[in-house]
């Protein structure tokens, strides 16, 4: 239980650190949106030239891409701050 409290406090500190500088926060949001947009643009470009890849259509690939991005986002939210604990 102690570790859960330590993790919650560390997560709160990480979120406060991210939100401390508003311009940095908005640049981070914009960069994330651009990264996801470029990924979707790449998928659209590939499927504009090739309608199906081994039976996979564009919407199936977008679904897989979305699940990967969601998992990465959750992992970064809960674990990104642990890299800086040592310092």
């Amino acid at each position: 239980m102690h570790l859960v409290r330590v993790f919650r406090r560390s997560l709160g500190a990480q979120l406060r650190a991210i939100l401390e500088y508003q311009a940095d926060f908005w640049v981070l949001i914009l960069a994330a949106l651009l990264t996801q947009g470029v990924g979707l643009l790449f998928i659209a470009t590939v499927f504009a030239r090739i309608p199906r890849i081994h039976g996979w259509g564009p919407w199936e690939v977008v679904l897989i891409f979305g699940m990967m991005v969601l998992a990465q986002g959750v992992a970064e939210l809960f674990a990104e701050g642990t890299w800086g604990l040592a310092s």
Side-chain angles (χ1 to χ4, degrees):
M1 197 60 172
H2 174 68
L3 291 176
V4 172
R5 277 183 278 158
V6 169
F7 178 75
R8 272 191 60 212
R9 289 183 61 112
S10 298
L11 181 61
Q14 174 69 15
L15 290 174
R16 283 190 303 276
I18 290 170
L19 296 172
E20 185 174 359
Y21 300 104
Q22 274 192 340
D24 186 44
F25 172 74
W26 289 112
V27 167
L28 180 69
I29 294 296
L30 180 65
L33 289 173
L34 283 173
T35 301
Q36 307 320 318
V38 167
L40 290 173
L41 183 66
F42 176 75
I43 292 171
T45 303
V46 168
F47 279 100
R49 306 270 298 158
I50 306 166
R52 295 194 80 68
I53 299 175
H54 287 286
W56 290 80
W59 293 112
E60 289 95 355
V61 174
V62 167
L63 176 67
I64 298 294
F65 178 76
M67 290 189 316
M68 185 223 31
V69 167
L70 180 67
Q72 181 183 8
V74 169
E76 286 182 10
L77 175 66
F78 290 113
E80 187 66 28
T82 58
W83 294 109
L85 282 178
S87 59

